[in-house]
């Protein structure tokens, strides 16, 4: 696998993609990696080599050199291997750390939600709304603690500020992209208008001349006019790019109804709440591990509890203390475990607010795709202006040679100098703005949730002997 150079990681990976299996596997990891790498190489071989692939479980990170390759490979998602289906997304830090649940329709838990809790008839009310939660509480016939919401609500609350932060940066980048595109349009229009004016000045002077003094400068005028017309015609598709960018959402989804949740160990958690979470936990861990998991709590001293989670032959102890009730620590342990499974697998959570969570995660995923599109548009602008500006530099040299020895053409010198100044000013502004866009994009890529990676045992979990309660 490739070595990562010692530079800013977000800058290095900014055009990369991540391919991740959407289904779990139990085979030898090396064999699985070989199969997936072969599929990536076979289907994306035009864009990369095997040495461009880095494996950081559960992700295959593929280095690409520019934004256009990134867009082409993302559009190839998903990839199908003999045994796996690979979802492809643009690289960003939270994807690499598997901090987001990649909620898909591939893994569904076949549980009738009505066997867990009835879905309120007032589902059309804005999720997170007090009236809806009161209605929900009355339907389950318990003194439902409104500060202990369903699991989907917890995730929405956790992702909300992260989503807003990402969207804010994307909106800034969207504005910068439109500015750049409009600047290129103005640049091309100015080039065409002033080149046409210069050509007219030279033609009038040549027609009034009685000798062949203007023959070479007439050639320059023709070359200048052709270059300006060619640039204007070739990049007229910029209107389509601007419309594509403007089609992106201007406002984030409204999550004001989902309040931040106080730490669960500070809230009295009703037993009915943890019972409902256990139903979801049992079904999802069975889907994830193909085995039954169990969770139990023991009182270590008066008012002090520890939760034990056992999956197959492994048992972990949740030791974040203190907790007021067994339900509180079990709820925390279940929520933390579910979050890790969700991040890697993506499953349908049987909860009241699941549709909103699914849309939220989908929107966060789309933000990265939108950013990839913006980068493409910015790259087009930057790549387009460089050869235009360089070719004008050659034309300016041609003018200097062609006008040498011609007297009384100060007005022509002024027109060419004015065009040179305009071209240089636009060129510098576009390059500077493109660099500014990149800085904003890097901030977007490095924005990630303050969460522990599921690939390591979190500090709050300890390996434990099977307690008597689980024996």
């Amino acid at each position: 696998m490739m070595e990562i150079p010692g530079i800013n990681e977000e800058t290095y990976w900014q055009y990369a993609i991540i391919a991740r299996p959407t289904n779990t596997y139990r085979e030898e990891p090396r064999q699985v990696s070989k199969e997936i790498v072969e599929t990536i190489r076979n289907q994306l071989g035009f864009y990369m080599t095997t040495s461009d692939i880095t494996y950081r479980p559960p992700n295959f990170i593929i280095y690409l050199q520019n934004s256009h390759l990134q867009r082409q490979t993302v559009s190839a998602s998903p990839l199908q291997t003999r045994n796996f289906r690979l979802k492809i997304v643009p690289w960003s830090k939270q994807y690499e750390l598997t901090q987001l649940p990649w909620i898909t329709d591939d893994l569904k838990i076949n549980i009738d939600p009505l066997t867990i809790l009835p879905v309120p008839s007032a589902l059309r009310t804005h999720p997170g709304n007090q009236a809806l939660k009161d209605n929900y509480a009355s339907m389950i016939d318990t003194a439902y603690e409104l500060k202990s919401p369903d699991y989907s609500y917890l995730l929405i609350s956790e992702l909300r500020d992260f989503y807003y932060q990402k969207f804010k940066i994307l909106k800034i980048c969207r504005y910068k992209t439109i500015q750049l595109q409009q600047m290129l349009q103005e640049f091309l229009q100015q080039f065409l208008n002033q080149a046409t004016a210069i050509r007219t000045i030279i033609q009038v002077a040549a027609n009034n001349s009685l000798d062949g003094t203007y023959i070479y400068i007439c050639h320059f005028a023709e070359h200048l006019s052709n270059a300006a017309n060619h640039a204007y015609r070739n990049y007229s598709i910029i209107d389509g790019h601007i419309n594509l960018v403007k089609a992106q959402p201007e406002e984030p989804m409204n999550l004001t109804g989902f309040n931040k949740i106080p730490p669960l160990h500070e809230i009295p958690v009703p037993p009915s709440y943890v019972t409902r979470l256990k139903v979801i936990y049992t079904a999802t861990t069975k889907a994830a591990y193909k085995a039954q998991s169990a969770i139990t709590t023991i009182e270590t001293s008066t008012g002090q509890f520890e939760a034990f989670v056992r999956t197959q032959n492994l048992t972990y102890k949740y030791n974040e203390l203190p907790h007021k009730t067994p339900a509180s620590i079990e709820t925390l342990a279940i929520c933390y475990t579910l979050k890790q499974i969700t991040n890697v697998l993506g499953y349908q959570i049987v909860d009241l607010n699941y549709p909103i969570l699914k849309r939220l995660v989908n929107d966060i995923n789309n933000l990265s795709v939108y950013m990839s599109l913006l980068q493409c548009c910015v790259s087009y602008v930057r790549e387009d202006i460089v050869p235009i500006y360089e070719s004008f530099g050659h034309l300016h040299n041609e003018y200097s040679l062609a006008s040498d020895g011609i007297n009384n053409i100060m007005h022509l010198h002024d027109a060419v100098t004015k065009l040179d100044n305009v071209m240089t000013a636009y060129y510098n502004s576009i390059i500077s703005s493109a660099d500014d866009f990149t800085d904003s994009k890097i901030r977007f890529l490095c924005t990630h949730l303050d969460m522990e990676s599921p690939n390591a045992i979190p500090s709050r979990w300890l390996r434990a002997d099977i307690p008597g309660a689980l024996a």
Side-chain angles (χ1 to χ4, degrees):
M1 294 299 173
M2 63 190 296
E3 292 293 327
I4 309 303
I7 62 173
N8 181 282
E9 190 175 29
E10 285 75 26
T11 300
Y12 181 79
W13 291 117
Q14 63 174 307
Y15 303 130
I17 59 172
I18 289 181
R20 184 190 301 174
T22 58
N23 50 328
T24 56
Y25 48 84
R26 302 176 65 84
E27 295 88 346
E28 168 63 35
R30 183 172 297 180
Q31 182 60 36
V32 170
S33 299
K34 182 180 178 182
E35 177 185 333
I36 291 175
V37 167
E38 286 178 355
T39 299
I40 293 173
R41 183 182 59 200
N42 292 339
Q43 298 191 40
L44 303 179
F46 292 111
Y47 312 125
M48 40 67 68
T49 65
T50 302
S51 62
D52 292 327
I53 304 174
T54 299
Y55 180 51
R56 294 180 180 173
N59 303 312
F60 293 84
I61 307 176
I62 303 168
Y63 173 81
L64 298 170
Q65 294 184 342
N66 62 61
S67 59
H68 307 303
L69 295 182
Q70 185 186 55
R71 287 287 296 168
Q72 288 170 327
T73 51
V74 169
S75 67
S77 181
L79 296 181
Q80 186 68 51
T81 76
R82 185 173 62 255
N83 298 306
F84 305 104
R85 189 169 182 266
L86 302 175
K87 181 76 178 291
I88 296 177
V89 295
W91 181 89
S92 61
K93 197 66 178 176
Q94 75 270 7
Y95 288 142
E96 182 184 332
L97 298 177
T98 60
Q99 291 180 320
L100 283 181
W102 287 18
I103 296 178
T104 67
D105 293 327
D106 302 296
L107 294 167
K108 295 182 179 179
I109 299 170
N110 296 317
I111 302 177
D112 181 357
L114 296 179
T115 63
I116 301 176
L117 286 175
V119 178
S121 58
L123 192 59
R124 292 185 299 274
T125 308
H126 189 284
N129 183 284
Q130 188 74 22
L132 175 61
K133 297 189 75 60
D134 286 342
N135 186 17
Y136 196 40
S138 65
M139 289 193 70
I140 62 176
D141 193 27
T142 181
Y144 185 74
E145 171 55 58
L146 296 180
K147 293 181 180 178
S148 296
D150 65 28
Y151 176 64
S152 298
Y153 190 112
L154 287 172
L155 285 185
I156 293 169
S157 173
E158 185 170 357
L159 292 172
R160 186 189 64 171
D161 292 343
F162 167 79
Y163 166 70
Y164 283 147
Q165 185 179 2
K166 284 281 206 184
F167 196 96
K168 181 180 178 181
I169 301 175
L170 181 88
K171 193 171 182 178
I172 292 171
C173 288
R174 178 180 179 271
Y175 176 72
K176 292 178 187 294
T177 303
I178 293 175
Q179 274 191 319
L180 272 166
Q181 292 170 321
Q182 291 173 340
M183 209 182 302
L184 179 62
Q185 277 189 321
E186 294 169 7
F187 170 83
L188 296 173
Q189 188 67 60
Q190 288 278 355
F191 187 21
L192 182 62
N193 292 346
Q194 295 193 38
T196 302
I198 290 171
R199 182 187 183 188
T200 301
I201 292 172
I202 293 173
Q203 286 176 336
V204 170
N207 291 337
N208 294 334
S209 175
L210 299 178
D211 54 34
T213 308
Y214 282 86
I215 184 170
Y216 293 114
I217 206 167
C218 282
H219 289 325
F220 157 75
E222 200 64 33
H223 297 161
L224 180 67
S225 179
N226 289 340
N229 275 287
H230 175 77
Y232 191 82
R233 284 197 307 269
N234 272 20
Y235 304 111
S236 60
I237 60 170
I238 200 71
D239 280 330
H241 285 171
I242 291 178
N243 292 333
L244 197 62
V245 171
K246 287 183 176 179
Q248 292 184 6
E250 293 189 42
E251 298 299 329
M253 61 186 295
N254 184 1
L255 300 174
T256 55
F258 295 90
N259 297 318
K260 281 290 186 181
I261 308 302
L264 288 179
H265 66 266
E266 298 177 3
I267 304 170
V269 179
S272 59
Y273 181 65
V274 72
T275 299
R276 176 164 56 88
L277 280 181
K278 279 184 176 181
V279 175
I280 300 174
Y281 170 77
T282 301
T284 52
T285 51
K286 186 175 182 181
Y289 304 119
K290 310 300 181 188
Q292 202 73 27
S293 293
I295 183 166
T296 190
T297 303
I298 61 173
E299 188 170 15
T300 56
S301 60
T302 304
Q304 301 290 309
F305 301 93
E306 289 181 347
F308 292 84
V309 176
R310 183 177 65 182
T311 302
Q312 295 177 316
N313 296 324
L314 295 176
T315 300
Y316 292 102
K317 177 176 68 174
Y318 189 91
N319 70 329
E320 190 173 282
L321 301 173
H323 293 280
K324 296 181 179 180
T325 65
S328 293
I329 190 170
E330 286 186 2
T331 296
L332 276 169
I334 290 173
C335 285
Y336 194 85
T337 306
L338 282 177
K339 186 164 62 177
Q340 303 309 316
I341 301 172
T342 307
N343 289 346
V344 177
L345 289 181
Y347 58 84
Q348 285 207 338
I349 304 162
V350 189
D351 260 347
L352 174 67
N353 290 300
Y354 174 76
I356 303 299
L357 174 63
K358 184 172 183 179
R359 184 190 159 194
L360 173 59
V361 173
N362 184 65
D363 279 11
I364 293 174
N365 289 340
N366 283 337
L367 292 184
S368 293
V369 177
Y370 290 147
M371 183 60 77
S372 172
L373 171 64
L374 294 181
Q375 176 66 78
C376 265
C377 292
V378 170
S379 295
Y380 275 125
V381 172
R382 183 168 187 150
E383 290 166 12
D384 290 349
I385 198 173
V386 170
I388 296 172
Y389 183 68
E390 288 178 349
S391 67
F392 175 75
H394 297 310
L395 288 168
H396 196 270
N397 291 334
E398 183 181 343
Y399 169 77
S400 298
L401 294 173
S403 63
D404 188 32
I406 303 178
N407 299 320
N408 301 320
I409 56 171
M410 186 57 65
H411 60 296
L412 182 57
H413 288 334
D414 290 344
V416 174
T417 300
K418 179 182 177 182
L419 176 57
D420 184 33
N421 291 338
V422 167
M423 297 282 281
T424 300
Y426 271 106
Y427 174 80
N428 290 336
S429 293
I430 287 176
I431 296 299
S432 175
S433 297
D435 290 340
D436 190 36
F437 172 92
T438 300
D439 291 340
S440 298
K441 187 190 77 168
I442 295 303
R443 283 196 294 111
F444 176 92
L445 293 176
C446 68
T447 302
H448 59 95
L449 290 162
D450 185 19
M451 291 165 50
E452 293 168 281
S453 169
N455 298 318
I457 298 175
S459 59
R460 64 190 66 181
W461 290 99
L462 302 174
R463 281 282 182 92
D465 296 328
I466 300 177
L470 288 176

